[in-house]
Amino acid sequence: MPADMRTYLAHVELPNPILTAAGCAGTGRELAPFADVTRLGALTTPTITMSPRAGRPTPRMAETPSGLLNAVGLQGPGIEAFLSRELPWLAERGVRTVVSIGGGSVAEFSALARKLTGAPGVTALEVNLSCPNVEDRGRVFARDPSAAGEVVSAVRTGARYDLPVIAKLAPDVADVVAIAKACVDGGAEALSMINNPVGMAIDVDRMRPALAAGTGGLSGPAIRPLAVKAVWQVHAALPGTPVIGMGGVTSGRDALELVLAGACAVAVGTVLFHDPYAGHRVLRELEELLQERGFDRLADAVGLAHRPSHRTDREESSL
Amino acid sequence: MPADMRTYLAHVELPNPILTAAGCAGTGRELAPFADVTRLGALTTPTITMSPRAGRPTPRMAETPSGLLNAVGLQGPGIEAFLSRELPWLAERGVRTVVSIGGGSVAEFSALARKLTGAPGVTALEVNLSCPNVEDRGRVFARDPSAAGEVVSAVRTGARYDLPVIAKLAPDVADVVAIAKACVDGGAEALSMINNPVGMAIDVDRMRPALAAGTGGLSGPAIRPLAVKAVWQVHAALPGTPVIGMGGVTSGRDALELVLAGACAVAVGTVLFHDPYAGHRVLRELEELLQERGFDRLADAVGLAHRPSHRTDREESSL
Amino acid sequence: MAGSPVQVTGTVLTMRRVDAYHAMTVVAPGIADRFRPGHFVTVAVGGPRTSTLTRRAFAVHDVKPDYGGTVELVFTVRGAGTAWLADRRARDPLDLIGPLGRPFPLPRDPASCLLVGSEYGAAGLFALADALQQRNCRVDFVLGAASSDRVFGALRARRMAETATLTTRDGSLGVRGSVVDVLPGVIADTHADVVYAAGPMATLGGVTAVCADLDIPVQVSVEELMACGIGVCMTCTVPVIGDDGVTRMTRACVDGPVFRGERVRFGDLGTIPFDAHGAPGGDRAR
Amino acid sequence: MAGSPVQVTGTVLTMRRVDAYHAMTVVAPGIADRFRPGHFVTVAVGGPRTSTLTRRAFAVHDVKPDYGGTVELVFTVRGAGTAWLADRRARDPLDLIGPLGRPFPLPRDPASCLLVGSEYGAAGLFALADALQQRNCRVDFVLGAASSDRVFGALRARRMAETATLTTRDGSLGVRGSVVDVLPGVIADTHADVVYAAGPMATLGGVTAVCADLDIPVQVSVEELMACGIGVCMTCTVPVIGDDGVTRMTRACVDGPVFRGERVRFGDLGTIPFDAHGAPGGDRAR
Ligand SMILES: Cc1cc2nc3c(=O)[nH]c(=O)nc-3n(C[C@H](O)[C@H](O)[C@H](O)COP(=O)(O)OP(=O)(O)OC[C@H]3O[C@@H](n4cnc5c(N)ncnc54)[C@H](O)[C@@H]3O)c2cc1C
Ligand SMILES: Cc1cc2nc3c(=O)[nH]c(=O)nc-3n(C[C@H](O)[C@H](O)[C@H](O)COP(=O)(O)OP(=O)(O)OC[C@H]3O[C@@H](n4cnc5c(N)ncnc54)[C@H](O)[C@@H]3O)c2cc1C
Ligand SMILES: Cc1cc2nc3c(=O)[nH]c(=O)nc-3n(C[C@H](O)[C@H](O)[C@H](O)COP(=O)(O)O)c2cc1C
Ligand SMILES: Cc1cc2nc3c(=O)[nH]c(=O)nc-3n(C[C@H](O)[C@H](O)[C@H](O)COP(=O)(O)O)c2cc1C
Ligand code: FES
Ligand code: FES
């Protein structure tokens, strides 16, 4: 019997745990020719900002071993155009939509939350904490527990009570658990991780940074071990908080890795650039793996790798 | 004409900039059947501790995309056995040797520095700051500027004045430049980066962490973008401090990437597991690349990617 | 469904060397059906467990109805992905997505069309030439490259077009110089009504400047690094002036690669023009 | 130079299926020359730009003098690396390092030797059997696996040895059960003076226990995950009791893979025994 794949982000039920990651599925329209986006657990939008943003100059991408560096710089139309032109397309089709929001100050985050409250078709808000805080010399919110907590609490206050708030964490911090706790204390009902760690590549022919912006965000399978570690540590510290795991997922096995580490939902990002159908494929593969392992429900696999280990394990496996 | 490959770690001249990374070249003896270790810029030892250490239980390794997780746990014979059995073999052959040291407290680091002072054949000391501080609930020194600075200054004080002290930094910190500065203030004459960021993999068949230790250090090409970024940022902030770059170097092009970002020496680590001759190959390839680009001296390429950029660059390259 | 892209596992039919280029024909029915001149495809490279994640984009040189539909790509080896592609052999599977992008718009009425291709940019112009000739347009070619072995399709161009002017930077074939240098003369000689151009960005900028001077419409097929090719990643943007006069960072993969030349701000490539929609001002998230 | 490893680019000579196994013969002169029974090799997998970085270790099944020296490996497909290896074809290049590790010690005087191989562990025992027979030793085999298609080398064992006892866990061939179950009987029947064993760790532990009971020396070829195979990475350690009675975390790749069975602390695998040299005490760096 196939496993029950339903999962919950706070009180919101999703029919399955596979989401798209912010900034990797466009506005939904672009994926539609390849895959039925309504069948995803949810689609996450690119991070939406108050004003339109032109983003960073090109080159915006560089390929690295099993990874991709990007410096798009949150190019986007701004909240008004999002509400008038992009969200309605998703809402009309019934695409469950997590709206990612980003701002340069606590006030801006809170304003975005208010604007999105009540907008039809919004399943949850995801707070992109990897935004530079203009009031703190551009230090990103995700690197500072108190700034992160403050932003989350402003969003929580600004958004309607029944709209779940998800805080999205970056891995390049000294202690991801401290940030996670600050976000939960600030009112986050769920956490998503990981955003891209900052990386860089040099073009050895031009002898210049490969990206116009210099540094960029690293994504893809290269960072999966960082994602598994972050999910593991946060689930260990906050077992009751739903975690959306992401970072280098390309297959059902990769998704299961994050689930066993503690994620109750898994987002696909960079893999969509290679295989626009990846969300559905990963879902099917994950279902099969759970069934093979005798699970009745996805929920039973969440965090299972944390169970106490027995010495005999090792010997069984080598038989 | 081939470029002059000499480089300096503080006042110590190395004939070429290619080192082996700590823990990746054994005691030197193991590589000897494959490659002449005396021809390396220098060989770095595994991190040496006061007492013998049995390390972590197995499994100690897991392969990840373009990466390797390891949890060896600094297995080693301890300083006395190192001085009596391992260092002499290197010293007799004239292998330039950077001795990596690790301890659980400032006092231990300082004692190691004293023991190594005057030992024949030691070219420099590398302070492995990715060691848990037993006096601070196991928080690693590398994550805390003041702890890092304190350790470095204890080593600097313990070691003879003419023995360069290199501080080895980890990338999974919120601000690597702050740590770098604290180390230089503490007396480090050079910096090496990056040590392994912490990562994790789950064995989806056993449904357990792949490593017995749970988490491990991630190495290999997957982390190169993190290494380039760290070298770039530290060189920008501390242009006068020699940096040994490492993290995923497999070829001369990779080495050149780190050199252009600001490294005056480059260490090969994980690639040695795949190709024990890699140090010499990378050196030859780097020499060729520098020559092709018309460099007379390696030193002229160090940090060159930082030069101010001109708009015309882009157009030339696309012609 | 013309234009709507599909993902298919094609099969390599033939691999040929053509001077400095590799020409690869792939059986890929769904793509051939939907193709219009100017479309491109993306190819997954490296095989299972490769470390090269991103697809590579190639103009479609030709489609044929054989075996249900084949597409031909022409490429030079540049880095890891094209090196892998060059190693493919007949019968190897190849994962393709296409057809992608906005194709070349065709003139409604017969016109004199000058097709300007630099380096591998030439590859994408032959299917366009066929379509134009079917509409009774006059077709002329200017093809150029650094050296003679990199001038693609000279023979075919000579055979099919009214005139074909060749240029090489080293003078090893045709006129020494670039396609831009000969352009004013060729436009005059051929009485071109419209110019179509493909090639490196600097060349396209030059072609556009000449056309603007002479007040001739020009369609250019631009190139920018692409991570997805399907419009979801926003890495391939180019500053393009919209119908409303506003410059926007516009995706080359879905809103292009073909643009009206004078709409592309060639002088501002690699920057965010200060007057672009959403250019840095108040708000600066990462 | 016997024993000193070399890195060579070999050439695949043949690929065969043998039941559940792939047998691959590679021309690799420098390795074949230096080989002694019990040695292993490591193989680079995945080709250029692969994401699979680490070499894979395989026992050498056989060496032959053909073409200057060939080595034969026998393997099952487990993950990415072995899947790639199974796809190799004649004439493909293959990067090998070997011979590696400490080979099986041979008895000085003729003795009755029982060779116990479980699963692919059997592959490494045939070269040993040859060497033993050349020294006028009696050779007997016990070969076992989960099912009949995974019992490797049964025919050859029957042909060359005095006796060959087969076991399968599912009873599809020979005795139902494991090699350990039949061991006491076979030892008695063959009057074995010494046992050599290769296979999964749990099997080796069982074999060692039987031999200890019967006070027969046993040499086991152990297996632990290896990142380098040449002694530099310290990932392949096993708790082994030294000549001085002290347990050390000992590298399987250079100090093994062959150890005297009673020296390996099978019951403590996957732990650091509390009494091991350097076991956690005061000092706990990462
Ligand atoms: C619309 C379009 C059509 C193209 N048509 C052709 C063609 O017909 N023939 C041909 O030879 N080349 C063509 N190119 C360029 C071709 O995509 C690159 O040469 C190729 O991607 C290089 O891949 P690589 O693995 O050799 O290089 P790498 O340097 O390994 O590539 C690294 C990454 O950068 C991207 N990249 C590198 N160069 C380019 C580039 N010039 N344009 C876009 N992405 C790039 C790759 O896709 C990859 O993601 C076209 C590009 C575009 C955008
Ligand atoms: C001394 C020695 C001799 C061996 N001889 C044989 C043989 O003759 N035939 C055979 O089929 N197998 C043999 N093995 C096991 C073989 O090395 C593994 O099956 C193989 O490495 C699995 O690779 P993979 O890519 O299929 O699996 P993956 O799971 O992709 O491997 C991932 C990583 O784990 C390592 N690894 C996984 N399993 C093992 C293992 N059992 N032992 C060591 N490393 C492992 C790999 O080297 C790689 O680094 C031997 C192992 C050792 C240590
Ligand atoms: C091109 C690109 C754009 C992205 N844009 C955003 C974004 O707008 N907001 C955000 O929170 N994360 C963004 N991300 C991060 C992803 O959502 C995701 O967290 C990360 O890439 C890790 O997942 P992956 O390895 O599967 O891509 C972006 C990633 C990429 C590659
Ligand atoms: C198996 C292994 C053991 C290591 N041991 C040490 C060590 O003892 N001390 C240390 O400072 N770094 C150690 N490192 C980190 C490396 O020295 C190096 O910083 C890191 O692996 C990045 O380089 P690479 O990607 O080229 O391996 C070890 C790395 C590996 C893979
Ligand atoms: S390449 Fe991704 S949006 Fe154009
Ligand atoms: S595998 Fe590296 S030391 Fe044994």
Side-chain angles (χ1 to χ4, degrees):
Chain A
M1 216 187 63
D4 178 350
M5 297 300 280
R6 280 174 304 173
T7 196
Y8 291 84
L9 296 180
H11 62 278
V12 176
E13 180 185 302
L14 302 179
N16 71 66
I18 305 299
L19 283 69
T20 62
C24 299
T27 62
R29 285 183 176 88
E30 296 86 354
L31 279 188
F34 300 99
D36 178 358
V37 288
T38 62
R39 284 179 42 224
L40 292 165
L43 178 140
T44 309
T45 68
T47 295
I48 308 298
T49 53
M50 268 324 252
S51 321
R53 287 176 56 93
R56 295 293 204 160
T58 56
R60 288 181 173 184
M61 66 148 289
E63 197 180 60
T64 67
S66 297
L68 175 71
L69 283 168
N70 85 81
V72 169
L74 301 187
Q75 177 172 345
I79 183 75
E80 300 302 345
F82 172 75
L83 288 172
S84 62
R85 292 204 312 258
E86 299 184 356
L87 187 59
W89 188 92
L90 294 161
E92 278 161 26
R93 279 155 193 82
V95 180
R96 283 166 294 276
T97 303
V98 175
V99 180
S100 168
I101 55 174
S105 65
V106 173
E108 212 171 347
F109 273 102
S110 133
L112 284 162
R114 282 194 306 273
K115 292 216 178 254
L116 282 157
T117 276
V122 181
T123 302
L125 295 185
E126 183 174 84
V127 183
N128 179 356
L129 293 168
S130 295
C131 293
N133 182 346
V134 295
E135 287 154 10
D136 184 14
R137 291 158 301 141
R139 187 168 179 207
V140 300
F141 294 101
R143 302 243 166 84
D144 175 358
S146 74
E150 210 186 327
V151 166
V152 169
S153 118
V155 172
R156 182 59 286 168
T157 314
R160 208 171 57 200
Y161 72 97
D162 61 351
L163 194 58
V165 171
I166 307 163
K168 182 161 179 186
L169 310 181
D172 35 5
V173 298
D175 182 359
V176 73
V177 170
I179 314 279
K181 285 186 172 154
C183 292
V184 170
D185 290 347
E189 280 101 353
L191 299 167
S192 86
M193 63 198 71
I194 56 175
N195 211 320
N196 307 128
V198 180
M200 189 168 181
I202 310 276
D203 179 329
V204 295
D205 296 318
R206 290 192 301 124
M207 301 200 283
R208 295 269 177 217
L211 303 175
T215 59
L218 183 63
S219 66
I223 66 167
R224 201 167 62 235
L226 307 182
V228 175
K229 180 217 120 190
V231 170
W232 172 277
Q233 290 184 337
V234 168
H235 182 75
L238 300 165
T241 305
V243 170
I244 308 172
M246 70 196 77
V249 171
T250 66
S251 69
R253 290 179 79 87
D254 301 344
L256 182 54
E257 219 188 323
L258 288 168
V259 167
L260 293 167
C264 68
V266 172
V268 290
T270 303
V271 69
L272 292 169
F273 306 165
H274 190 268
D275 174 9
Y277 188 73
H280 300 72
R281 177 174 54 75
V282 167
L283 173 59
R284 200 193 54 232
E285 291 169 357
L286 178 62
E287 269 168 346
E288 284 167 11
L289 291 167
L290 290 171
Q291 201 175 338
E292 278 170 22
R293 284 161 181 69
F295 287 100
D296 295 330
R297 313 184 313 148
L298 166 76
D300 296 334
V302 173
L304 195 73
H306 291 260
R307 72 194 185 283
S309 96
H310 300 285
R311 280 282 300 287
T312 51
D313 265 6
R314 186 83 194 300
E315 302 195 22
E316 279 163 21
S317 80
S318 54
L319 266 167
Chain B
M1 216 187 63
D4 177 351
M5 298 299 281
R6 281 173 304 173
T7 196
Y8 291 84
L9 297 180
H11 61 279
V12 176
E13 180 185 303
L14 302 179
N16 72 66
I18 305 299
L19 282 69
T20 62
C24 298
T27 63
R29 284 182 176 90
E30 297 87 352
L31 279 188
F34 300 99
D36 178 358
V37 288
T38 62
R39 282 179 44 222
L40 292 165
L43 178 142
T44 309
T45 68
T47 295
I48 308 297
T49 53
M50 263 332 246
S51 320
R53 286 176 57 92
R56 294 295 203 160
T58 57
R60 288 181 173 184
M61 67 150 287
E63 197 179 59
T64 67
S66 297
L68 175 71
L69 283 168
N70 85 82
V72 168
L74 300 188
Q75 176 173 348
I79 184 73
E80 300 302 344
F82 172 74
L83 288 172
S84 64
R85 291 203 313 257
E86 299 185 356
L87 187 58
W89 187 93
L90 294 161
E92 278 161 26
R93 277 153 195 83
V95 180
R96 283 167 294 276
T97 304
V98 175
V99 180
S100 168
I101 56 174
S105 66
V106 173
E108 214 172 346
F109 272 103
S110 137
L112 284 162
R114 283 194 305 274
K115 291 218 179 254
L116 282 157
T117 275
V122 181
T123 302
L125 294 185
E126 183 174 87
V127 184
N128 179 354
L129 293 168
S130 294
C131 294
N133 182 348
V134 294
E135 286 154 11
D136 184 13
R137 292 157 301 141
R139 187 165 178 212
V140 300
F141 294 102
R143 302 243 167 85
D144 175 358
S146 73
E150 209 187 329
V151 166
V152 169
S153 121
V155 171
R156 182 60 288 169
T157 313
R160 210 170 58 197
Y161 72 97
D162 61 352
L163 194 58
V165 170
I166 307 164
K168 182 162 180 187
L169 310 182
D172 35 5
V173 298
D175 181 359
V176 71
V177 170
I179 314 280
K181 285 186 172 154
C183 291
V184 170
D185 291 346
E189 279 101 352
L191 299 167
S192 84
M193 62 198 71
I194 56 172
N195 212 321
N196 306 127
V198 180
M200 188 167 182
I202 310 277
D203 179 329
V204 295
D205 297 316
R206 289 191 301 125
M207 301 200 283
R208 294 270 177 213
L211 303 174
T215 58
L218 183 62
S219 66
I223 66 167
R224 200 166 64 234
L226 307 182
V228 175
K229 181 216 119 190
V231 170
W232 172 276
Q233 291 185 335
V234 168
H235 183 73
L238 300 164
T241 305
V243 169
I244 308 173
M246 71 196 79
V249 172
T250 66
S251 69
R253 289 180 80 86
D254 302 344
L256 182 55
E257 217 186 326
L258 289 169
V259 168
L260 293 167
C264 66
V266 171
V268 291
T270 303
V271 68
L272 291 168
F273 306 166
H274 189 267
D275 173 9
Y277 188 73
H280 300 72
R281 179 175 53 76
V282 167
L283 173 59
R284 200 192 56 233
E285 292 169 357
L286 178 61
E287 269 169 347
E288 286 167 10
L289 291 167
L290 290 172
Q291 201 175 337
E292 278 171 22
R293 285 160 181 70
F295 286 101
D296 296 329
R297 312 184 314 150
L298 166 76
D300 297 335
V302 174
L304 196 72
H306 290 261
R307 72 193 186 285
S309 93
H310 301 286
R311 280 281 302 287
T312 52
D313 266 8
R314 186 83 196 301
E315 302 194 22
E316 279 162 22
S317 82
S318 55
L319 266 166
Chain C
M1 278 298 281
S4 166
V6 291
Q7 179 168 16
V8 300
T9 302
T11 305
V12 176
L13 189 63
T14 59
M15 287 290 297
R16 283 179 303 133
R17 284 303 300 257
V18 185
D19 297 327
Y21 297 93
H22 298 261
M24 171 187 252
T25 311
V26 190
V27 179
I31 296 179
D33 294 353
R34 294 169 166 83
F35 168 77
R36 300 222 193 121
H39 273 142
F40 68 97
V41 296
T42 59
V43 180
V45 296
R49 304 281 173 154
T50 181
S51 65
T52 52
L53 296 182
T54 51
R55 290 176 167 269
R56 270 57 175 172
F58 300 97
V60 175
H61 172 235
D62 221 348
V63 301
K64 294 230 174 74
D66 317 4
Y67 306 97
T70 64
V71 299
E72 186 172 31
L73 318 177
V74 172
F75 61 93
T76 45
V77 171
R78 182 181 300 208
T82 44
W84 181 87
L85 266 188
D87 270 352
R88 295 308 92 199
R89 294 290 163 259
R91 283 187 298 280
D92 284 349
L94 197 71
D95 172 350
L96 298 171
I97 293 182
L100 294 167
R102 180 177 162 267
F104 287 112
L106 303 180
R108 226 158 313 161
D109 304 311
S112 174
C113 302
L114 179 59
L115 276 52
V116 182
S118 176
E119 302 280 339
Y120 58 74
L125 298 177
F126 290 92
L128 172 65
D130 283 337
L132 291 169
Q133 288 185 329
Q134 275 166 26
R135 299 193 168 213
N136 302 316
C137 291
R138 169 184 166 134
V139 169
D140 294 274
F141 270 101
V142 177
L143 300 178
S147 53
S148 62
D149 62 326
R150 291 169 57 172
V151 177
F152 180 81
L155 265 176
R156 185 165 168 203
R158 281 195 175 125
R159 227 183 306 123
M160 76 185 300
E162 294 295 320
T163 68
T165 308
L166 310 179
T167 70
T168 50
R169 220 170 316 137
D170 65 1
S172 55
L173 180 71
V175 183
R176 178 190 301 269
S178 89
V179 293
V180 179
D181 300 332
V182 299
L183 200 56
V186 177
I187 290 177
D189 294 350
T190 61
H191 303 288
D193 299 312
V194 52
V195 171
Y196 293 93
M201 289 300 240
T203 307
L204 300 181
V207 170
T208 298
V210 170
C211 293
D213 258 9
L214 302 174
D215 205 20
I216 298 182
V218 54
Q219 298 281 344
V220 297
S221 178
V222 306
E223 206 182 284
E224 182 50 75
L225 299 196
M226 293 184 175
C228 78
I230 59 169
V232 296
C233 78
M234 304 302 286
T235 63
C236 64
T237 56
V238 176
V240 173
I241 305 164
D243 291 336
D244 55 2
V246 176
T247 297
R248 290 185 184 76
M249 295 306 291
T250 305
R251 292 167 299 183
C253 66
V254 289
D255 304 314
V258 176
F259 293 104
R260 285 169 56 183
E262 74 281 9
R263 293 292 182 84
V264 180
R265 293 180 59 172
F266 287 104
D268 295 317
L269 290 176
T271 72
I272 301 294
F274 73 95
D275 57 345
H277 186 64
D283 146 62
R284 278 182 180 274
R286 63 160 179 189
Chain D
M1 279 296 286
S4 167
V6 290
Q7 178 168 14
V8 299
T9 303
T11 306
V12 175
L13 188 65
T14 60
M15 286 289 298
R16 283 181 302 134
R17 286 300 303 255
V18 185
D19 297 327
Y21 297 94
H22 298 262
M24 170 187 253
T25 311
V26 190
V27 179
I31 296 179
D33 294 353
R34 294 169 165 82
F35 168 78
R36 301 220 192 122
H39 274 142
F40 68 97
V41 295
T42 60
V43 180
V45 296
R49 307 281 174 150
T50 180
S51 65
T52 51
L53 296 184
T54 52
R55 290 175 167 269
R56 272 53 176 174
F58 300 96
V60 175
H61 172 235
D62 221 347
V63 300
K64 295 233 173 73
D66 317 2
Y67 305 97
T70 65
V71 299
E72 186 171 31
L73 318 177
V74 172
F75 61 92
T76 44
V77 171
R78 182 182 301 208
T82 45
W84 181 87
L85 265 187
D87 269 352
R88 294 310 91 198
R89 294 294 163 257
R91 283 187 298 279
D92 284 348
L94 197 71
D95 171 351
L96 297 171
I97 294 182
L100 293 167
R102 182 178 161 266
F104 287 113
L106 303 180
R108 226 160 313 162
D109 304 313
S112 174
C113 302
L114 179 60
L115 278 49
V116 183
S118 175
E119 303 281 339
Y120 59 73
L125 298 177
F126 290 91
L128 172 66
D130 282 336
L132 291 168
Q133 288 185 330
Q134 273 167 28
R135 300 194 166 211
N136 302 315
C137 291
R138 170 184 165 136
V139 170
D140 294 273
F141 269 100
V142 177
L143 299 178
S147 53
S148 62
D149 62 326
R150 290 169 58 172
V151 177
F152 180 81
L155 264 176
R156 185 166 167 203
R158 279 196 175 125
R159 228 182 305 123
M160 76 186 300
E162 294 295 319
T163 69
T165 309
L166 309 179
T167 70
T168 49
R169 219 170 316 138
D170 65 0
S172 55
L173 179 72
V175 183
R176 179 190 298 268
S178 89
V179 293
V180 179
D181 300 331
V182 300
L183 200 56
V186 176
I187 290 176
D189 294 349
T190 61
H191 303 289
D193 299 313
V194 50
V195 171
Y196 293 93
M201 289 300 240
T203 306
L204 300 181
V207 169
T208 299
V210 170
C211 293
D213 258 10
L214 303 174
D215 205 20
I216 298 181
V218 53
Q219 297 282 345
V220 298
S221 177
V222 305
E223 205 180 284
E224 181 49 79
L225 298 197
M226 293 184 175
C228 78
I230 59 167
V232 296
C233 78
M234 306 300 285
T235 62
C236 64
T237 55
V238 177
V240 174
I241 305 165
D243 291 336
D244 56 2
V246 177
T247 297
R248 289 185 185 76
M249 295 305 291
T250 306
R251 292 166 300 185
C253 66
V254 286
D255 304 316
V258 175
F259 293 104
R260 285 170 54 184
E262 74 280 10
R263 294 291 182 85
V264 179
R265 292 181 59 172
F266 287 104
D268 295 317
L269 290 176
T271 72
I272 302 293
F274 73 95
D275 57 345
H277 186 64
D283 147 61
R284 280 183 178 273
R286 64 158 176 184

